[in-house]
């Protein structure tokens, strides 16, 4: 069945299924499950993954956060969260890339903490594309940017579509 894989949270034999998500539903998941980020303000689209009748994860795909990245060619996974269900992360990353390609984007990217292994990204066919410098986004020309998220270096992962 397309978009299905064996899941872990719902017991043996339960299938994972991708579903569309409204931004409010994705943000409720982020608020409940994400370790270090808050809900997002906007998106291009969001998807979820269900195991049986339970929503076990979701992803928000939006415009790139870095202002010099071409937003007409590149989209970014700005949030991805699961409850730990096996294969849910890699299924969300793979599906996000497939949808972005169908929408005409040339590349999809995301950033993860430097300490994270990227296992789900690798499983979904993504490749590490560099490391960001980290630090604060607040500048004299851009005061009052959010300071409530990790400020360290991040790995950039991408998939050419």
């Amino acid at each position: 069945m397309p978009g299905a894989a064996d899941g872990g949270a719902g017991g043996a034999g339960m299938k994972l299924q991708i579903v569309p998500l409204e931004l409010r539903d994705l943000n409720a998941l982020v608020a409940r499950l994400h370790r270090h980020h808050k809900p997002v303000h906007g998106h291009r689209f969001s998807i979820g993954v269900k195991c049986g009748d339970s929503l076990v994860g979701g992803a928000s795909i939006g415009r790139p956060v870095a202002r010099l990245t071409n937003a007409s060619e590149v989209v970014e996974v700005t949030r991805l969260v699961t409850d730990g269900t096996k294969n849910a992360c890699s299924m969300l990353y793979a599906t996000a890339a497939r949808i972005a390609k169908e929408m005409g984007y040339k590349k999809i990217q995301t950033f993860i903490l430097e300490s994270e292994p990227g296992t789900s990204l690798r499983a979904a066919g993504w490749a590490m594309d560099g490391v960001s410098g980290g630090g604060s986004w607040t500048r004299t020309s851009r005061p009052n940017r959010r300071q409530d998220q990790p400020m360290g270096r991040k790995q950039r992962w991408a998939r050419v579509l």
Side-chain angles (χ1 to χ4, degrees), residues 35-160:
R35 294 185 316 265
H36 54 263
H37 278 302
K38 294 188 182 213
V40 296
H41 293 289
H43 68 159
R44 297 269 195 246
F45 63 94
S46 290
I47 55 176
V49 62
K50 284 184 147 188
C51 185
D53 291 333
S54 299
L55 185 63
V56 298
S60 173
I61 297 80
R63 64 174 180 75
V65 174
R67 61 191 167 102
L68 297 179
T69 303
N70 185 344
S72 64
E73 295 183 356
V74 180
V75 289
E76 185 168 310
V77 176
T78 57
R79 296 291 185 278
L80 188 136
V81 64
T82 75
D83 66 358
T85 297
K86 184 177 180 181
N87 298 325
C89 285
S90 54
M91 188 175 194
L92 287 164
Y93 280 126
T95 303
R98 191 167 51 250
I99 293 169
K101 181 177 182 178
E102 288 295 322
M103 292 176 74
Y105 291 100
K106 296 184 181 352
K107 181 179 174 182
I108 188 167
Q109 66 183 22
T110 195
F111 291 83
I112 64 172
L113 298 178
E114 193 172 38
S115 60
E116 295 176 314
T119 305
S120 296
L121 287 154
R122 195 173 291 107
W126 294 49
M128 193 163 115
D129 193 35
V131 178
S132 73
S136 173
W137 284 69
T138 297
R139 302 284 184 270
T140 305
S141 62
R142 294 187 315 267
N144 303 319
R145 294 294 300 257
R146 288 179 62 172
Q147 302 293 310
D148 58 351
Q149 50 201 350
M151 298 292 178
R153 293 164 40 106
K154 311 236 180 8
Q155 300 173 49
R156 183 179 60 243
W157 287 72
R159 185 166 164 184
V160 175

